[in-house]
Amino acid sequence: MRDLIIIGAGPAGLTAAIYAGRFKLDTLILEKMSAGGQILLSPSIENYPGFPEGVSTFELMDKFKKQVEDLGLGIEDKEALEISSNDKFYQIETQDKIFEAKAVIVSTGAKPKRLGVKGEEKLIGKGVSYCGTCDGPLFKNKDIVIVGGGDRAIEDALFLANYAKSIYLVHRRGEFRAARILVDKLKGYSKIKLVLNSIVEEVCGENRVESVRIKNVNTLECSEIKCEGLFVFVGIAPDTGCVKNLLETDESGFIITDQAMRASKPGIFACGDCVSKSLYQVVNACGEGAVAADSAHKYLLKQ
Ligand SMILES: Cc1cc2nc3c(=O)[nH]c(=O)nc-3n(C[C@H](O)[C@H](O)[C@H](O)COP(=O)(O)OP(=O)(O)OC[C@H]3O[C@@H](n4cnc5c(N)ncnc54)[C@H](O)[C@@H]3O)c2cc1C
């Protein structure tokens, strides 16, 4: 029986662990992939305070991990499959073991959303990708299409411009939602062509992506862009399957918390990208991780 189990070792979970360690709570962290979280899908981060030149995400997350390890906390490579509770404690079921804790912090983050169009699912890994950093080098001197209008779409378009021959940036609106400082950078790249007010209707190709069918939402005109890759950045979906039947969520599955990061059951807290909120960034994931650990500490003191 632990005081606290933290599920997910991204920026939110690792920050919660640093605070829990300093509160001297008997804490275990469960991580299903590798510690660091989804920010590792991006090569660098430019809007994390304290690094005016930007910082490599690997370097930054390695430092988070070191700070946790230096406090003597362990990270177990295990996926939490289901969390259940009785009146006194929580049980966390994994493939081969059941863990018990008096309090739980859920920091399971999110994963990229799919477009949901014909051909997408079939061609994942065969030209369809959700991670520029991971797959960019595979598209050296190739024509690619990027879909999205937020920070991630623009950041990745700028990154992929280091590899691709040409990039068609498809966005369903006439203006980008991304930060102006990022959008302005697009002007310096003649190989990035904007395809605005347009949506992807189909990803075409038998064994690999060969083209993408586009529809202009104003004129309803359809066209085809020949390409070898399609990168999709159209938002995130919460990774909250393990608490599906336990906690209150919004209609998209993001966990509902109060300001102290308390979820709908006493003793269970949530933070980071798995929470229902308006901004999904590293800086507030960390802040929420600190608040969740503080709330868990106060809850345990009362028990
Ligand atoms: C390409 C890209 C670029 C980005 N750029 C920026 C940027 O420039 N600036 C910025 O501030 N933010 C950026 N973000 C967003 C940022 O990465 C997230 O806001 C942040 O990582 C959220 O942290 P988190 O700890 O809540 O979740 P995550 O980072 O998603 O971490 C959650 C962790 O939980 C683990 N997990 C999930 N389910 C389970 C389970 N059942 N059992 C055990 N472990 C589990 C996952 O494997 C993961 O390691 C970017 C994201 C992407 C994808």
Side-chain angles (χ1 to χ4, degrees), residues 82-300:
E82 194 168 359
I83 308 177
S84 54
S85 73
N86 63 24
D87 283 347
K88 294 201 172 63
F89 59 86
Y90 286 95
Q91 282 197 327
I92 295 134
E93 196 182 322
T94 66
Q95 193 77 43
D96 56 355
K97 215 169 162 183
I98 291 177
F99 295 91
E100 290 176 343
K102 294 174 205 155
V104 175
I105 293 178
V106 182
S107 46
T108 47
K111 46 194 178 192
K113 260 193 197 165
R114 306 265 156 103
L115 277 177
V117 298
K118 196 170 163 207
E120 179 186 20
E121 203 71 29
K122 180 179 92 174
L123 295 169
I124 290 175
K126 296 171 182 164
V128 174
S129 169
Y130 304 85
C131 176
T133 320
C134 322
D135 297 333
L138 304 175
F139 293 87
K140 205 162 182 212
N141 292 323
K142 296 191 170 156
D143 300 318
I144 61 169
V145 169
I146 296 176
V147 194
D151 284 0
R152 283 176 210 179
I154 310 295
E155 273 170 7
D156 274 63
L158 297 169
F159 175 72
L160 289 165
N162 294 319
Y163 300 100
K165 183 164 80 182
S166 73
I167 297 175
Y168 294 87
L169 181 52
V170 177
H171 180 41
R172 65 192 162 134
R173 302 220 163 83
E175 284 199 8
F176 292 105
R177 199 166 22 89
R180 180 60 42 200
I181 191 166
L182 283 172
V183 178
D184 285 349
K185 283 188 187 171
L186 289 174
K187 289 178 192 142
Y189 291 81
S190 57
K191 65 163 82 166
I192 304 178
K193 299 171 187 72
L194 307 188
V195 186
L196 299 178
N197 298 307
S198 298
I199 54 170
V200 170
E201 290 236 295
E202 186 180 349
V203 192
C204 311
E206 262 318 301
N207 302 314
R208 287 209 57 82
V209 171
E210 289 166 15
S211 67
V212 165
R213 212 160 57 79
I214 306 288
K215 182 164 93 181
N216 183 300
V217 291
N218 293 336
T219 62
L220 303 185
E221 229 172 80
C222 289
S223 57
E224 197 164 338
I225 302 176
K226 295 259 175 251
C227 62
E228 289 175 75
L230 171 70
F231 285 83
V232 180
F233 306 108
V234 291
I236 53 171
D239 208 347
T240 47
C242 61
V243 292
K244 204 171 55 191
N245 301 317
L246 185 72
L247 299 179
E248 217 176 289
T249 62
D250 66 16
E251 68 279 6
S252 306
F254 291 95
I255 299 167
I256 294 172
T257 64
D258 65 9
Q259 282 190 348
M261 309 320 294
R262 285 183 290 237
S264 55
K265 275 202 169 285
I268 187 154
F269 307 85
C271 51
D273 276 18
C274 62
V275 163
S276 181
K277 57 180 178 176
S278 60
L279 181 72
Y280 291 84
Q281 293 276 282
V282 171
V283 71
N284 60 325
C286 295
E288 291 158 21
V291 174
D294 181 54
S295 297
H297 180 226
K298 287 178 178 144
Y299 169 84
L300 289 164

Side-chain angles (χ1 to χ4, degrees), residues 7-13 30-34 36-39 41-42 44-47 78-80 107-110 152 155-156 239 242 271-274 280-283 285:
I7 304 173
L30 303 180
E31 168 55 54
K32 71 172 173 182
M33 282 158 77
S34 56
Q38 53 172 313
I39 192 61
L41 297 178
S42 188
S44 64
I45 174 166
E46 290 185 5
N47 57 1
K78 294 216 184 302
E79 175 173 9
S107 46
T108 47
R152 283 176 210 179
E155 273 170 7
D156 274 63
D239 208 347
C242 61
C271 51
D273 276 18
C274 62
Y280 291 84
Q281 293 276 282
V282 171
V283 71

